[in-house]
């Protein structure tokens, strides 16, 4: 299908670029976001890339086109800047699965154990951690932590499996159950069916997928890692166990290769909430500003800073 931009679309892009200059604003967009939003972003990538971009910017305003924990991360790293989410309810359900109370209890039950939290956590729990990690850097960071004691890790049990296996670490995962509802829905049966349809393909998966899916892949990594692997691989056909938007993005990034989502139902609707119209509106109205209490932000800056140092 030919991609013809309407005059309205072109006008909106020009307005966004002009507002960015006027307000000294940047746009950060996650790989799972809409293509129209990624096209106007100053940094596009996975959680790691967006954290680096947020830590390096000299802009006065940061528009975060992702989910809530990413906007909070930008606030924590930029306490004097205005951080805006173009939508009010871009909530990552995974990030709400570990409470301060659960983490506090786990720390008391495991004195001396270091706490590594998956970046998909809210700032109030990150403030209680020793370090955070993303899918991109979880293995090297976990290898440096814990000493002789098991590592406390949360909230995603599938990512915990990935770290236990890949970094050969003993891990206590908190809370008792925690997973991303989008990736966890991809079953081994889905993968077997997809392989029957496309037998010659390589399989790539995000570590938020179930252990049995991870165990049947050629590559497991972050959204950014998957893009890199597929572009650099000699393979020409890939089954992608991740948000369907990543397969669309891969088709743009590597047009000579073929990408099939393992399941067409794998869609993170929250990441798709920011539209081009919402981004324009956010730049005009400066709604919705994201804030984090100062004592939480000051404490959360330490584990996020440690991740940036280690990666
Ligand atoms: P990445 O850090 O791999 O971009 O993943 C973030 C995420 O929320 C995917 O579900
Ligand atoms: Fe959260 Fe899952 Fe969406 Fe990532 S894909 S933002 S972990 S709900």
């Amino acid at each position: 299908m030919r991609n013809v931009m309407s005059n309205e679309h072109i006008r909106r892009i020009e307005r966004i670029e002009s507002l960015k200059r006027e307000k000294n604003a940047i746009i950060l967009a996650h790989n799972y976001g809409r293509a129209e939003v990624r096209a106007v972003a100053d940094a596009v990538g996975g959680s790691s890339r967006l954290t680096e971009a947020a830590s390096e910017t000299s802009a006065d305003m940061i528009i975060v086109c992702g989910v809530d924990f990413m906007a909070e991360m930008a606030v924590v790293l930029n306490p004097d800047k205005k951080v805006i989410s173009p939508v009010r309810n871009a909530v990552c359900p995974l990030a709400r699965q570990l409470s301060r109370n659960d983490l506090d209890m786990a720390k008391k039950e495991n004195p001396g154990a270091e706490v590594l939290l998956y970046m998909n956590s809210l700032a109030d729990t990150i403030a209680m951690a020793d370090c955070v990690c993303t899918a991109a850097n979880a293995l090297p960071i976990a290898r440096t932590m814990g000493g002789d004691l098991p590592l406390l890790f949360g909230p995603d049990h599938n990512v915990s499996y990935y770290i236990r296996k890949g970094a050969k670490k003993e891990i206590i995962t908190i809370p008792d159950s925690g997973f991303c509802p989008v990736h966890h829905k991809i079953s081994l049966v889905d993968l077997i069916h997809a392989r029957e349809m496309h037998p010659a393909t390589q399989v790539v998966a995000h570590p938020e997928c179930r252990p049995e899916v991870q165990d049947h892949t050629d590559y497991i990594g972050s959204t950014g890692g998957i893009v890199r692997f597929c572009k650099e691989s000699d393979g020409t056909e890939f089954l992608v166990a991740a948000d369907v938007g990543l397969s669309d993005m891969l088709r743009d990034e590597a047009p000579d290769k073929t990408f099939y989502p393992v399941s067409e139902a794998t869609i993170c609707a929250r990441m798709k909430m920011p539209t081009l119209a919402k981004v324009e509106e956010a730049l005009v109205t400066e709604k919705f500003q994201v804030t984090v209490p100062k004592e939480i932000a000051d404490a959360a800056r330490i584990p996020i800073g440690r991740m940036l140092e280690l990666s």
Side-chain angles (χ1 to χ4, degrees), residues 30-32 45-48 67 69-70 92 94 118-120 134-136 180 182-183 206-208 221-225 268 271:
H30 189 265
N31 286 331
Y32 283 177
S47 310
S48 268
V67 284
F69 72 86
M70 296 170 182
C92 167
L94 171 60
Y118 194 40
M119 171 71 100
N120 299 42
T134 69
C180 157
V182 176
H183 292 86
H206 195 276
E208 287 165 22
S222 63
T223 56
C268 180
M271 291 276 212

Side-chain angles (χ1 to χ4, degrees), residues 107-155:
K107 284 173 86 160
K108 285 186 178 132
E109 282 164 12
N110 299 278
E114 282 197 290
V115 179
L116 174 63
L117 286 192
Y118 194 40
M119 171 71 100
N120 299 42
S121 302
L122 294 182
D124 65 348
T125 45
I126 290 181
M128 298 167 69
D130 295 296
C131 191
V132 290
C133 68
T134 69
N137 53 35
L139 299 186
I141 288 182
R143 284 189 193 109
T144 69
M145 294 182 70
D148 295 334
L149 291 172
L151 199 54
L152 283 174
F153 177 81

Side-chain angles (χ1 to χ4, degrees), residues 14-302:
E14 285 170 357
R15 183 107 195 277
I16 288 171
E17 293 303 339
S18 145
L19 284 161
K20 273 164 56 175
R21 283 192 298 276
E22 187 189 310
K23 301 198 174 190
N24 190 23
I26 58 160
I27 298 174
L28 307 184
H30 189 265
N31 286 331
Y32 283 177
R34 290 171 186 263
E36 65 188 30
V37 169
R38 284 188 270 110
V40 293
D42 300 275
V44 178
S47 310
S48 268
R49 171 76 194 100
L50 300 187
T51 308
E52 280 162 21
S55 74
E56 288 162 359
T57 185
S58 58
D60 296 317
M61 186 185 291
I62 307 170
I63 312 284
V64 180
C65 298
V67 284
D68 50 0
F69 72 86
M70 296 170 182
E72 286 199 350
M73 167 280 291
V75 176
V76 166
L77 292 173
N78 298 280
D80 302 326
K81 295 175 180 155
K82 206 166 205 180
V83 175
I84 308 280
S85 169
V87 291
R88 203 198 286 276
N89 295 321
V91 168
C92 167
L94 171 60
R96 282 155 197 260
Q97 289 172 24
L98 178 63
S99 67
R100 277 176 74 84
N101 198 33
D102 285 341
L103 181 49
D104 192 42
M105 269 169 39
K107 284 173 86 160
K108 285 186 178 132
E109 282 164 12
N110 299 278
E114 282 197 290
V115 179
L116 174 63
L117 286 192
Y118 194 40
M119 171 71 100
N120 299 42
S121 302
L122 294 182
D124 65 348
T125 45
I126 290 181
M128 298 167 69
D130 295 296
C131 191
V132 290
C133 68
T134 69
N137 53 35
L139 299 186
I141 288 182
R143 284 189 193 109
T144 69
M145 294 182 70
D148 295 334
L149 291 172
L151 199 54
L152 283 174
F153 177 81
D156 191 305
H157 281 244
N158 297 335
V159 177
S160 175
Y161 173 80
Y162 168 70
I163 299 173
R164 282 202 311 275
K165 195 173 165 189
K168 310 224 174 338
K169 275 277 160 187
E170 202 186 326
I171 290 181
I172 297 167
T173 314
I174 45 173
D176 288 343
S177 165
F179 53 80
C180 157
V182 176
H183 292 86
H184 195 72
K185 234 195 302 181
I186 304 172
S187 67
L188 186 55
V189 171
D190 290 333
L191 182 52
I192 290 166
H193 282 161
R195 278 207 115 146
E196 280 166 6
M197 305 271 288
H198 309 289
T201 48
Q202 288 194 294
V203 181
V204 295
H206 195 276
E208 287 165 22
C209 293
R210 294 163 183 267
E212 61 270 27
V213 171
Q214 294 186 35
D215 287 345
H216 291 84
T217 57
D218 299 286
Y219 174 81
I220 312 167
S222 63
T223 56
I226 289 174
V227 172
R228 206 173 321 111
F229 175 84
C230 292
K231 283 168 87 172
E232 288 172 5
S233 162
D234 291 338
T236 55
E237 279 186 56
F238 300 86
L239 277 172
V240 184
D243 181 288
V244 290
L246 199 64
S247 295
D248 295 336
M249 184 178 168
L250 281 160
R251 284 182 203 113
D252 291 340
E253 295 271 329
D256 52 330
K257 300 189 178 187
T258 311
F259 300 93
Y260 310 101
V262 170
S263 160
E264 292 285 352
T266 311
I267 299 174
C268 180
R270 309 298 172 104
M271 291 276 212
K272 315 281 181 291
M273 286 171 80
T275 58
L276 208 57
K278 296 267 181 214
V279 172
E280 180 187 9
E281 198 181 315
L283 279 159
V284 174
T285 63
E286 304 188 7
K287 276 187 195 165
F288 299 94
Q289 185 172 1
V290 181
T291 56
V292 174
K294 182 179 171 356
E295 64 279 12
I296 296 283
D298 288 347
R301 205 169 300 120
I302 297 165

